[in-house]
Amino acid sequence: MHSVKIAPSILSADFAKLGKEVQAVDEAGADYIHIDVMDGHFVPNLTFGPPVIQAIRSYTAKPFDVHLMINPAVQYIKDYAEAGADIITVHVEADIHLHRSVQVIHDLGKKAGVSLNPSTDENVLRNVLDDIDLILVMSVNPGFGGQSFIPSQLGKINRIREMIGDRSIELMVDGGINPGNIANVVKAGANAIVAGSAVFTGGDYVASIKSLRDAAN
Ligand code: DX5
Ligand code: ZN
């Protein structure tokens, strides 16, 4: 089994120096830069739009993994693609026509991810499994960094891993992951991990990414 990918969420970064923060986690060994886009409607918080993503694009060559917590999402996908997203993830709860959103992402030449809230059943994925590049399981209710991991999601991660079979879909988990629980998440079947507070709290990004990796293996 190859090593787990770590995607620091810049929701927990210092927004006053966002470009430098992106550069710092890149140099500390991040595989992806996870960017949480919130609209104050789908989730009770508001974050970045395309101009902010465009402004930080030149600070790293690592893939931008853009997590859209917006409803509707489909008509904004192009703006995020043009701003520099490499992976665009939409929530199954956000748009009625999930398959169309996936098509729009692929037509723009980007990788398509699909995310599930903690209360959402994984069977909604069955009819898009052959069309997507990434599944993002939310292990907290989306909206904020620093929340506690919801243990019931471990069973769901496991069932999704089985459902994926031999397809080359990444299984990413987001929310409340730290060195104390990352091994369980990986054991359940995740091969990519989002971490906000676990990476940015403390200020030593090399050490925090290393302790996640060490604990994962
Ligand atoms: C929550 C976001 C997460 C969040 C994770 O809505 O999708 O990406 O930033 O933060 P931590 O790792 O602190 O739970
Ligand atoms: Zn996220």
Side-chain angles (χ1 to χ4, degrees):
M1 192 171 162
H2 44 238
S3 76
V4 65
K5 289 192 173 136
I6 305 287
S9 162
I10 58 167
L11 185 61
S12 297
D14 181 347
F15 293 170
K17 47 172 187 175
L18 204 48
K20 291 250 181 308
E21 292 275 74
V22 166
Q23 194 177 354
V25 287
D26 171 340
E27 288 166 1
D31 295 294
Y32 297 144
I33 307 299
H34 185 82
I35 302 175
D36 287 305
V37 174
M38 304 184 184
D39 66 353
H41 166 71
F42 181 68
V43 290
N45 195 5
L46 198 56
T47 59
F48 328 101
V52 174
I53 295 172
Q54 196 170 10
I56 58 175
R57 185 57 277 192
S58 64
Y59 286 81
T60 180
K62 300 271 168 77
F64 272 7
D65 162 33
V66 175
H67 177 193
L68 296 181
M69 286 161 275
I70 64 176
N71 175 17
V74 68
Q75 60 259 54
Y76 298 105
I77 288 169
K78 187 163 183 275
D79 295 338
Y80 287 94
E82 287 172 354
D86 299 288
I87 305 164
I88 299 178
T89 297
V90 293
H91 268 260
V92 303
E93 305 86 1
D95 287 301
I96 298 165
H97 304 290
L98 177 64
H99 189 271
R100 176 176 290 147
S101 301
V102 168
Q103 276 180 322
V104 169
I105 296 167
H106 281 155
D107 286 350
L108 291 159
K110 307 300 176 183
K111 288 192 169 170
V114 166
S115 185
L116 308 180
N117 283 334
S119 65
T120 301
D121 192 283
E122 67 274 8
N123 281 314
V124 296
L125 296 169
R126 287 201 187 274
N127 295 308
V128 293
L129 271 185
D130 289 324
D131 305 298
I132 59 179
D133 305 292
L134 179 145
I135 295 167
L136 179 67
V137 174
M138 290 309 301
S139 43
V140 298
N141 288 298
F144 303 94
Q147 304 180 81
S148 298
F149 185 88
I150 300 170
S152 60
Q153 300 309 298
L154 287 172
K156 188 201 274 184
I157 295 162
N158 205 260
R159 294 190 295 276
I160 294 174
R161 172 50 71 194
E162 275 189 20
M163 208 188 267
I164 289 173
D166 57 11
R167 296 175 181 88
S168 63
I169 299 174
E170 285 208 64
L171 181 49
M172 182 182 259
V173 182
D174 184 4
I177 297 173
N178 55 50
N181 60 19
I182 189 169
N184 291 337
V185 178
V186 171
K187 217 176 293 163
N191 69 321
I193 295 295
V194 177
S197 43
V199 168
F200 286 95
T201 307
D204 185 344
Y205 306 157
V206 174
S208 52
I209 291 175
K210 185 178 184 305
S211 71
L212 283 167
R213 280 195 203 286
D214 289 349
N217 293 322

